[in-house]
Amino acid sequence: MDLQQLVRPNILALKPYSSARSEFTGDAEVFLDANENPFDTGLNLYPDPLQWKVKKKLGKLKGVAPDNIFLGNGSDEVIDLLVRIFCNPGADRIVILPPTYGMYRVCADICGVEVAEIPLTPQFQPDVAAILADADEHSKLLFLCSPNNPTGNVFDPARIEALLQGFPGIVVVDEAYIDFAAGPGCLALLEDYDNLVVMQTFSKAWGLAGIRLGMAFAGRAIIDLMNKVKPPYNVNQLTQEAVLHALDNQSQQQQWVTSLLGQRVLLQQFLSGLDFVTRIYPSDANFLLVKVKDPKGLYLYLVNQKIIVRDRSNVLLCEGCLRITVGAPEENERLVQALVAYGNG
Ligand SMILES: *Cc1c(COP(=O)(O)O)cnc(C)c1O
């Protein structure tokens, strides 16, 4: 991969903002360099711009060196940065595989970057031949969401590797739901492919959507570019403290995942007995994609019962489907009761 060819020229030439906290990193006792308020509120100082404490702890958990980690204000910041680093507005494009997560297109649209859509196969897998046939030197980013939102399935590892080998740009694998999946994901491929970016998040399995923290794992060259373009203090102090606490309590995350996977099975079994449910797609995530006879009617019925699911019935390849998040046991029980009443009514 020739990174010089892939990166926008203005980004290659960019002289990044240099904050007080990044200019002096040695040992000192009196800091009069950043115009902070000296009176201790616990939050009066700027946070570490590169979040080293978090990255060291996270790196151990993921088996990735801290230098190969980028942390963003949610995965959504990572997506936005990648588009702005690699895609020249009006010239380059990103490639997405609908049906998939909506933010890839939104970030490209905001930047005036074209979006090529290559639909998934009917089995919800990437159409490798079609993706590679469409790609050229302007195809800068390929977004693979695995497990995919809203279909819930993981992509075939052989197809992901074929794309890593054949795609001319950067391949981004969004693993927001990987903690719910049976397989190991793509982190192990980082050693072999310098055009790979793996994204994960604290928003789902870790129960921390409110702190806004997303992860990107990649080779040093790509991580350096992201650090160059990001706002200096993109991950705030409260977020860094909250995630350090969560990383010290990993058994909690594992308990939640175990519970949700058990609930997913129960919900699957229950739904499969309903005559208005025509198909339940296999899920490697914390939600189920469910095809029903009257999706709009059922959606509105559930809203009336004060239960909100996601109507995906107008989405390509998801015609007639609702996406249902696996909730806490009491929430799922309420859904079950409502669906029983709907079936009887
Ligand atoms: C929920 C989700 C995310 C998480 O985004 P954050 O900004 O980290 O909250 C990322 N990708 C996909 C596909 C998702 O469904």
Side-chain angles (χ1 to χ4, degrees), residues 74-117:
S75 312
D76 290 345
E77 183 181 28
V78 175
I79 298 166
D80 177 59
L81 284 173
L82 290 170
V83 171
R84 288 192 287 135
I85 289 167
F86 291 104
C87 301
N88 292 293
D92 296 328
R93 59 183 174 276
I94 69 164
V95 183
I96 66 172
L97 316 182
T100 195
Y101 187 47
M103 277 307 287
Y104 315 135
R105 169 177 275 287
V106 171
C107 289
D109 284 348
I110 288 169
C111 290
V113 167
E114 197 189 314
V115 180
E117 295 196 339

Short mmCIF file of all heavy atoms in Angstrom, two decimals, residues 74-117:
data_model
loop_
_atom_site.label_atom_id
_atom_site.label_comp_id
_atom_site.label_asym_id
_atom_site.label_seq_id
_atom_site.Cartn_x
_atom_site.Cartn_y
_atom_site.Cartn_z
N GLY A 74 -16.55 8.49 20.28
CA GLY A 74 -17.40 7.50 19.62
C GLY A 74 -16.73 7.00 18.34
O GLY A 74 -15.81 7.63 17.82
N SER A 75 -17.19 5.85 17.85
CA SER A 75 -16.71 5.37 16.55
C SER A 75 -17.05 6.37 15.48
O SER A 75 -16.39 6.45 14.44
CB SER A 75 -17.39 4.05 16.15
OG SER A 75 -17.38 3.16 17.20
N ASP A 76 -18.11 7.12 15.72
CA ASP A 76 -18.54 8.09 14.71
C ASP A 76 -17.44 9.11 14.41
O ASP A 76 -17.30 9.55 13.27
CB ASP A 76 -19.83 8.78 15.17
CG ASP A 76 -21.02 7.83 15.17
OD1 ASP A 76 -20.92 6.75 14.55
OD2 ASP A 76 -22.06 8.15 15.78
N GLU A 77 -16.65 9.48 15.42
CA GLU A 77 -15.54 10.39 15.13
C GLU A 77 -14.48 9.71 14.26
O GLU A 77 -13.89 10.35 13.39
CB GLU A 77 -14.87 10.92 16.42
CG GLU A 77 -13.78 11.93 16.08
CD GLU A 77 -13.02 12.51 17.27
OE1 GLU A 77 -12.90 11.85 18.32
OE2 GLU A 77 -12.52 13.65 17.12
N VAL A 78 -14.27 8.42 14.49
CA VAL A 78 -13.28 7.68 13.69
C VAL A 78 -13.71 7.67 12.22
O VAL A 78 -12.91 7.93 11.32
CB VAL A 78 -13.12 6.24 14.22
CG1 VAL A 78 -12.20 5.44 13.32
CG2 VAL A 78 -12.60 6.25 15.66
N ILE A 79 -15.00 7.40 11.98
CA ILE A 79 -15.50 7.36 10.60
C ILE A 79 -15.29 8.72 9.94
O ILE A 79 -14.79 8.82 8.82
CB ILE A 79 -17.01 6.99 10.60
CG1 ILE A 79 -17.22 5.60 11.21
CG2 ILE A 79 -17.58 7.06 9.18
CD1 ILE A 79 -18.67 5.28 11.57
N ASP A 80 -15.65 9.78 10.66
CA ASP A 80 -15.52 11.13 10.12
C ASP A 80 -14.06 11.47 9.79
O ASP A 80 -13.76 12.02 8.73
CB ASP A 80 -16.09 12.12 11.14
CG ASP A 80 -15.93 13.56 10.71
OD1 ASP A 80 -16.46 13.91 9.64
OD2 ASP A 80 -15.27 14.34 11.43
N LEU A 81 -13.15 11.11 10.72
CA LEU A 81 -11.73 11.40 10.48
C LEU A 81 -11.22 10.65 9.27
O LEU A 81 -10.47 11.22 8.45
CB LEU A 81 -10.90 11.00 11.71
CG LEU A 81 -10.97 11.93 12.92
CD1 LEU A 81 -10.24 11.30 14.11
CD2 LEU A 81 -10.38 13.29 12.60
N LEU A 82 -11.59 9.38 9.13
CA LEU A 82 -11.10 8.60 8.00
C LEU A 82 -11.54 9.23 6.68
O LEU A 82 -10.74 9.34 5.73
CB LEU A 82 -11.58 7.15 8.10
CG LEU A 82 -10.94 6.32 9.22
CD1 LEU A 82 -11.65 4.99 9.39
CD2 LEU A 82 -9.45 6.09 8.95
N VAL A 83 -12.80 9.65 6.61
CA VAL A 83 -13.28 10.27 5.37
C VAL A 83 -12.49 11.55 5.09
O VAL A 83 -12.04 11.79 3.97
CB VAL A 83 -14.80 10.57 5.47
CG1 VAL A 83 -15.26 11.41 4.28
CG2 VAL A 83 -15.59 9.26 5.53
N ARG A 84 -12.25 12.34 6.14
CA ARG A 84 -11.56 13.62 5.92
C ARG A 84 -10.07 13.44 5.63
O ARG A 84 -9.45 14.29 5.00
CB ARG A 84 -11.78 14.55 7.12
CG ARG A 84 -13.21 15.08 7.14
CD ARG A 84 -13.39 16.19 8.12
NE ARG A 84 -13.39 15.74 9.49
CZ ARG A 84 -12.72 16.33 10.48
NH1 ARG A 84 -11.99 17.41 10.24
NH2 ARG A 84 -12.77 15.85 11.69
N ILE A 85 -9.48 12.35 6.09
CA ILE A 85 -8.05 12.11 5.84
C ILE A 85 -7.83 11.60 4.41
O ILE A 85 -6.86 11.99 3.74
CB ILE A 85 -7.48 11.10 6.86
CG1 ILE A 85 -7.37 11.75 8.23
CG2 ILE A 85 -6.12 10.56 6.40
CD1 ILE A 85 -7.12 10.76 9.37
N PHE A 86 -8.71 10.74 3.94
CA PHE A 86 -8.43 10.04 2.68
C PHE A 86 -9.19 10.54 1.46
O PHE A 86 -8.72 10.33 0.33
CB PHE A 86 -8.69 8.53 2.86
CG PHE A 86 -7.69 7.86 3.76
CD1 PHE A 86 -8.02 7.52 5.07
CD2 PHE A 86 -6.41 7.60 3.31
CE1 PHE A 86 -7.09 6.92 5.91
CE2 PHE A 86 -5.47 7.00 4.14
CZ PHE A 86 -5.81 6.66 5.44
N CYS A 87 -10.35 11.16 1.65
CA CYS A 87 -11.21 11.41 0.49
C CYS A 87 -11.23 12.87 0.08
O CYS A 87 -11.71 13.74 0.83
CB CYS A 87 -12.64 10.96 0.81
SG CYS A 87 -12.73 9.21 1.22
N ASN A 88 -10.75 13.15 -1.13
CA ASN A 88 -10.84 14.50 -1.69
C ASN A 88 -12.28 14.73 -2.14
O ASN A 88 -12.79 13.98 -2.99
CB ASN A 88 -9.90 14.63 -2.89
CG ASN A 88 -8.44 14.58 -2.47
OD1 ASN A 88 -7.95 15.49 -1.80
ND2 ASN A 88 -7.75 13.52 -2.85
N PRO A 89 -12.93 15.77 -1.59
CA PRO A 89 -14.32 16.05 -1.99
C PRO A 89 -14.41 16.24 -3.51
O PRO A 89 -13.53 16.86 -4.11
CB PRO A 89 -14.64 17.36 -1.25
CG PRO A 89 -13.72 17.37 -0.07
CD PRO A 89 -12.47 16.69 -0.54
N GLY A 90 -15.46 15.68 -4.09
CA GLY A 90 -15.67 15.86 -5.53
C GLY A 90 -14.80 14.97 -6.40
O GLY A 90 -14.96 14.97 -7.62
N ALA A 91 -13.89 14.22 -5.81
CA ALA A 91 -13.00 13.38 -6.62
C ALA A 91 -13.01 11.92 -6.16
O ALA A 91 -13.12 11.02 -6.98
CB ALA A 91 -11.57 13.92 -6.56
N ASP A 92 -12.91 11.70 -4.86
CA ASP A 92 -12.80 10.33 -4.34
C ASP A 92 -14.15 9.82 -3.86
O ASP A 92 -15.11 10.56 -3.75
CB ASP A 92 -11.80 10.29 -3.18
CG ASP A 92 -10.40 10.65 -3.64
OD1 ASP A 92 -10.06 10.34 -4.80
OD2 ASP A 92 -9.65 11.23 -2.84
N ARG A 93 -14.18 8.53 -3.51
CA ARG A 93 -15.42 7.98 -2.96
C ARG A 93 -15.14 6.93 -1.89
O ARG A 93 -14.05 6.36 -1.81
CB ARG A 93 -16.29 7.39 -4.06
CG ARG A 93 -15.67 6.29 -4.87
CD ARG A 93 -16.64 5.86 -5.98
NE ARG A 93 -16.00 4.89 -6.84
CZ ARG A 93 -15.20 5.20 -7.85
NH1 ARG A 93 -14.93 6.46 -8.12
NH2 ARG A 93 -14.64 4.25 -8.56
N ILE A 94 -16.17 6.69 -1.10
CA ILE A 94 -16.15 5.57 -0.17
C ILE A 94 -17.04 4.48 -0.75
O ILE A 94 -17.91 4.76 -1.58
CB ILE A 94 -16.63 5.95 1.25
CG1 ILE A 94 -18.13 6.28 1.28
CG2 ILE A 94 -15.83 7.14 1.79
CD1 ILE A 94 -18.73 6.28 2.69
N VAL A 95 -16.82 3.24 -0.32
CA VAL A 95 -17.64 2.12 -0.78
C VAL A 95 -18.35 1.54 0.44
O VAL A 95 -17.71 1.22 1.45
CB VAL A 95 -16.77 1.04 -1.44
CG1 VAL A 95 -17.65 -0.09 -1.98
CG2 VAL A 95 -15.91 1.64 -2.55
N ILE A 96 -19.67 1.45 0.36
CA ILE A 96 -20.45 0.83 1.44
C ILE A 96 -21.30 -0.29 0.87
O ILE A 96 -21.57 -0.34 -0.34
CB ILE A 96 -21.32 1.86 2.20
CG1 ILE A 96 -22.41 2.42 1.29
CG2 ILE A 96 -20.48 2.98 2.78
CD1 ILE A 96 -23.43 3.29 2.04
N LEU A 97 -21.71 -1.21 1.75
CA LEU A 97 -22.42 -2.41 1.32
C LEU A 97 -23.80 -2.47 1.97
O LEU A 97 -23.97 -3.09 3.02
CB LEU A 97 -21.59 -3.66 1.71
CG LEU A 97 -20.08 -3.62 1.44
CD1 LEU A 97 -19.43 -4.96 1.84
CD2 LEU A 97 -19.78 -3.31 -0.02
N PRO A 98 -24.78 -1.82 1.38
CA PRO A 98 -26.10 -1.81 2.01
C PRO A 98 -26.76 -3.20 1.99
O PRO A 98 -26.48 -3.97 1.07
CB PRO A 98 -26.90 -0.81 1.14
CG PRO A 98 -26.17 -0.73 -0.16
CD PRO A 98 -24.74 -1.06 0.11
N PRO A 99 -27.59 -3.52 2.99
CA PRO A 99 -27.99 -2.64 4.08
C PRO A 99 -26.91 -2.57 5.15
O PRO A 99 -26.39 -3.60 5.57
CB PRO A 99 -29.24 -3.34 4.63
CG PRO A 99 -29.01 -4.80 4.38
CD PRO A 99 -28.25 -4.85 3.08
N THR A 100 -26.59 -1.37 5.60
CA THR A 100 -25.55 -1.25 6.64
C THR A 100 -25.76 0.03 7.46
O THR A 100 -26.73 0.77 7.26
CB THR A 100 -24.15 -1.31 6.01
OG1 THR A 100 -23.19 -1.54 7.05
CG2 THR A 100 -23.79 -0.04 5.26
N TYR A 101 -24.84 0.25 8.37
CA TYR A 101 -24.88 1.38 9.30
C TYR A 101 -24.94 2.71 8.54
O TYR A 101 -24.23 2.89 7.54
CB TYR A 101 -23.62 1.31 10.16
CG TYR A 101 -23.53 2.29 11.31
CD1 TYR A 101 -24.59 2.48 12.18
CD2 TYR A 101 -22.34 2.99 11.54
CE1 TYR A 101 -24.48 3.36 13.24
CE2 TYR A 101 -22.22 3.86 12.61
CZ TYR A 101 -23.29 4.04 13.45
OH TYR A 101 -23.17 4.90 14.51
N GLY A 102 -25.76 3.63 9.02
CA GLY A 102 -26.03 4.85 8.28
C GLY A 102 -24.93 5.91 8.32
O GLY A 102 -24.87 6.78 7.44
N MET A 103 -24.04 5.86 9.33
CA MET A 103 -23.10 6.97 9.51
C MET A 103 -22.02 7.05 8.42
O MET A 103 -21.46 8.12 8.20
CB MET A 103 -22.42 6.90 10.88
CG MET A 103 -23.23 7.50 12.02
SD MET A 103 -23.81 9.19 11.72
CE MET A 103 -22.29 10.12 11.88
N TYR A 104 -21.72 5.93 7.76
CA TYR A 104 -20.68 6.00 6.72
C TYR A 104 -21.11 6.99 5.64
O TYR A 104 -20.35 7.88 5.24
CB TYR A 104 -20.42 4.62 6.09
CG TYR A 104 -20.30 3.47 7.08
CD1 TYR A 104 -20.94 2.25 6.85
CD2 TYR A 104 -19.53 3.60 8.24
CE1 TYR A 104 -20.83 1.20 7.74
CE2 TYR A 104 -19.43 2.56 9.14
CZ TYR A 104 -20.09 1.35 8.89
OH TYR A 104 -19.99 0.31 9.77
N ARG A 105 -22.37 6.82 5.19
CA ARG A 105 -22.86 7.73 4.14
C ARG A 105 -22.99 9.16 4.65
O ARG A 105 -22.63 10.10 3.93
CB ARG A 105 -24.19 7.24 3.58
CG ARG A 105 -24.86 8.28 2.71
CD ARG A 105 -26.14 7.84 2.07
NE ARG A 105 -25.94 7.10 0.84
CZ ARG A 105 -25.57 7.63 -0.33
NH1 ARG A 105 -25.32 8.94 -0.41
NH2 ARG A 105 -25.43 6.89 -1.40
N VAL A 106 -23.49 9.33 5.86
CA VAL A 106 -23.69 10.69 6.37
C VAL A 106 -22.35 11.44 6.41
O VAL A 106 -22.25 12.59 5.97
CB VAL A 106 -24.34 10.66 7.77
CG1 VAL A 106 -24.35 12.06 8.40
CG2 VAL A 106 -25.77 10.12 7.68
N CYS A 107 -21.29 10.78 6.91
CA CYS A 107 -19.98 11.44 6.98
C CYS A 107 -19.49 11.81 5.58
O CYS A 107 -18.94 12.89 5.37
CB CYS A 107 -18.96 10.54 7.68
SG CYS A 107 -19.27 10.39 9.44
N ALA A 108 -19.68 10.91 4.61
CA ALA A 108 -19.26 11.20 3.23
C ALA A 108 -20.08 12.34 2.65
O ALA A 108 -19.54 13.28 2.05
CB ALA A 108 -19.38 9.95 2.37
N ASP A 109 -21.40 12.29 2.86
CA ASP A 109 -22.29 13.34 2.33
C ASP A 109 -21.90 14.72 2.89
O ASP A 109 -21.90 15.70 2.17
CB ASP A 109 -23.76 13.04 2.68
CG ASP A 109 -24.35 11.94 1.81
OD1 ASP A 109 -23.71 11.56 0.80
OD2 ASP A 109 -25.44 11.44 2.14
N ILE A 110 -21.58 14.77 4.18
CA ILE A 110 -21.21 16.05 4.79
C ILE A 110 -19.97 16.62 4.11
O ILE A 110 -19.85 17.82 3.90
CB ILE A 110 -20.98 15.88 6.31
CG1 ILE A 110 -22.32 15.65 7.01
CG2 ILE A 110 -20.27 17.10 6.91
CD1 ILE A 110 -22.20 15.22 8.46
N CYS A 111 -19.06 15.73 3.73
CA CYS A 111 -17.79 16.17 3.13
C CYS A 111 -17.88 16.34 1.61
O CYS A 111 -16.89 16.69 0.98
CB CYS A 111 -16.69 15.18 3.46
SG CYS A 111 -16.22 15.21 5.19
N GLY A 112 -19.04 16.06 1.02
CA GLY A 112 -19.13 16.14 -0.44
C GLY A 112 -18.34 15.04 -1.11
O GLY A 112 -17.76 15.23 -2.17
N VAL A 113 -18.30 13.87 -0.47
CA VAL A 113 -17.58 12.72 -1.01
C VAL A 113 -18.60 11.70 -1.53
O VAL A 113 -19.59 11.40 -0.86
CB VAL A 113 -16.69 12.09 0.09
CG1 VAL A 113 -16.18 10.72 -0.32
CG2 VAL A 113 -15.54 13.03 0.42
N GLU A 114 -18.35 11.21 -2.73
CA GLU A 114 -19.29 10.28 -3.38
C GLU A 114 -19.32 8.94 -2.64
O GLU A 114 -18.32 8.53 -2.05
CB GLU A 114 -18.79 10.07 -4.82
CG GLU A 114 -19.81 9.47 -5.77
CD GLU A 114 -19.15 9.12 -7.10
OE1 GLU A 114 -18.38 9.96 -7.62
OE2 GLU A 114 -19.38 8.00 -7.58
N VAL A 115 -20.49 8.28 -2.71
CA VAL A 115 -20.65 6.98 -2.06
C VAL A 115 -21.01 5.94 -3.11
O VAL A 115 -22.00 6.09 -3.82
CB VAL A 115 -21.77 7.03 -0.99
CG1 VAL A 115 -21.94 5.67 -0.32
CG2 VAL A 115 -21.46 8.11 0.05
N ALA A 116 -20.19 4.90 -3.24
CA ALA A 116 -20.54 3.78 -4.11
C ALA A 116 -21.22 2.73 -3.25
O ALA A 116 -20.71 2.36 -2.19
CB ALA A 116 -19.29 3.20 -4.76
N GLU A 117 -22.39 2.28 -3.70
CA GLU A 117 -23.13 1.26 -2.95
C GLU A 117 -23.09 -0.05 -3.71
O GLU A 117 -23.57 -0.14 -4.84
CB GLU A 117 -24.59 1.71 -2.76
CG GLU A 117 -24.75 2.96 -1.91
CD GLU A 117 -26.19 3.14 -1.44
OE1 GLU A 117 -27.09 2.56 -2.06
OE2 GLU A 117 -26.38 3.86 -0.44
#
